[in-house]
Amino acid sequence: GQQVMQIPQYQHVQEGEDFTTYCNSSTTLSNIQWYKQRPGGHPVFLIQLVKSGEVKKQKRLTFQFGEAKKNSSLHITATQTTDVGTYFCAGARDFGNEKLTFGTGTRLTIIP
Amino acid sequence: NAGVMQNPRHLVRRRGQEARLRCSPMKGHSHVYWYRQLPEEGLKFMVYLQKENIIDESGMPKERFSAEFPKEGPSILRIQQVVRGDSAAYFCASSLATGVAEAFFGQGTRLTVV
């Protein structure tokens, strides 16, 4: 079955440093989504990427979808304490298959 | 427009009892997903339903677990004869359209089996 892996599993950074998490799928994806889950909370949608090579920015967050549509990355510039949480990517194989397969997640902690 | 509503937020059951978890999707959403999350772990897909239909239950254990999404009313995830290993957070998500719509998550039900 489809597998979506993320690395690293954990990341501890000093406040103000940059952070990147990588997402790799075993199969080609029709689209990829990113979610953030705060400690004790529920996943919240951040963004969706559809096109090969697509790059989207949200303030300090930059999202990229690989050319082969099998990998993606999330980069946070100058992390802040509010960035704490677990970041999940989620992919769907095709437009007819609606099941979102979530990645293993990257837990980000910030050292003030 | 209320978000995805899950209840109860916390549920304690003794081993062997039944657990019923409810999920009301966002207004207008006809696609519902259930995910399970163990502490410190990721989200594991369980089942995907549309109104009155189970579309994909490849993540559901073959025994004791069942899910439904009736024409009227919330989606129900039912766990019979719970065991300690069923203790987890169960999240429901709903989406509007086929394929590439974002999923909106409920706040989850934390099930504890004692």
Side-chain angles (χ1 to χ4, degrees):
Chain A
Q2 183 188 12
Q3 292 187 339
V4 181
M5 304 297 293
Q6 280 183 254
I7 54 170
Q9 188 175 0
Y10 301 96
Q11 185 78 60
H12 312 282
V13 300
Q14 291 276 354
E15 187 175 6
E17 290 183 340
D18 292 356
F19 158 76
T20 304
T21 172
Y22 300 91
C23 174
N24 294 287
S25 170
S26 59
T27 59
T28 301
L29 301 170
S30 63
N31 72 94
I32 196 145
Q33 301 179 12
W34 284 91
Y35 292 78
K36 177 183 178 181
Q37 185 177 22
R38 293 182 184 276
H42 60 281
V44 175
F45 174 81
L46 293 177
I47 207 160
Q48 179 183 86
L49 304 168
V50 180
K51 298 177 184 175
S52 169
E54 188 171 11
V55 177
K56 287 188 176 180
K57 292 192 176 186
Q58 288 179 351
K59 296 182 181 179
R60 296 178 294 105
L61 277 61
T62 301
F63 303 84
Q64 192 166 13
F65 200 9
E67 294 291 340
K69 301 183 78 173
K70 293 182 72 173
N71 54 71
S72 181
S73 65
L74 158 60
H75 179 82
I76 303 178
T77 305
T79 55
Q80 300 175 359
T81 55
T82 54
D83 296 326
V84 165
T86 302
Y87 293 84
F88 293 99
C89 63
R93 275 185 300 188
D94 56 66
F95 291 94
N97 179 353
E98 303 169 27
K99 180 180 74 178
L100 272 180
T101 299
F102 277 80
T104 45
T106 297
R107 173 173 291 184
L108 172 63
T109 57
I110 307 289
I111 305 166
Chain B
N1 187 10
V4 178
M5 304 300 292
Q6 285 188 252
N7 67 81
R9 291 287 306 278
H10 300 274
L11 182 61
V12 179
R13 282 288 177 265
R14 295 188 182 278
R15 281 179 294 172
Q17 290 185 318
E18 177 181 287
R20 279 188 178 234
L21 287 60
R22 294 175 182 77
C23 169
S24 295
M26 286 184 68
K27 187 176 180 181
H29 287 192
S30 59
H31 304 255
V32 167
Y33 317 82
W34 285 92
Y35 292 88
R36 171 181 156 137
Q37 187 175 42
L38 292 170
E40 313 295 319
E41 293 192 9
L43 292 154
K44 182 176 181 294
F45 168 80
M46 296 184 74
V47 62
Y48 160 54
L49 311 101
Q50 293 183 23
K51 284 284 187 181
E52 299 184 275
N53 288 306
I54 296 174
I55 307 302
D56 185 336
E57 57 181 348
S58 56
M60 288 269 278
K62 293 285 186 276
E63 297 177 353
R64 303 189 298 108
F65 285 73
S66 62
E68 63 177 9
F69 189 15
K71 188 176 179 181
E72 301 290 338
S75 175
I76 306 287
L77 178 67
R78 183 180 176 205
I79 312 172
Q80 294 178 292
Q81 298 174 342
V82 296
V83 301
R84 288 232 171 97
D86 296 331
S87 296
Y90 293 84
F91 288 98
C92 164
S94 74
S95 70
L96 178 63
T98 298
V100 294
E102 68 183 270
F104 292 83
F105 280 80
Q107 296 195 340
T109 294
R110 270 79 177 169
L111 172 66
T112 303
V113 179
V114 297

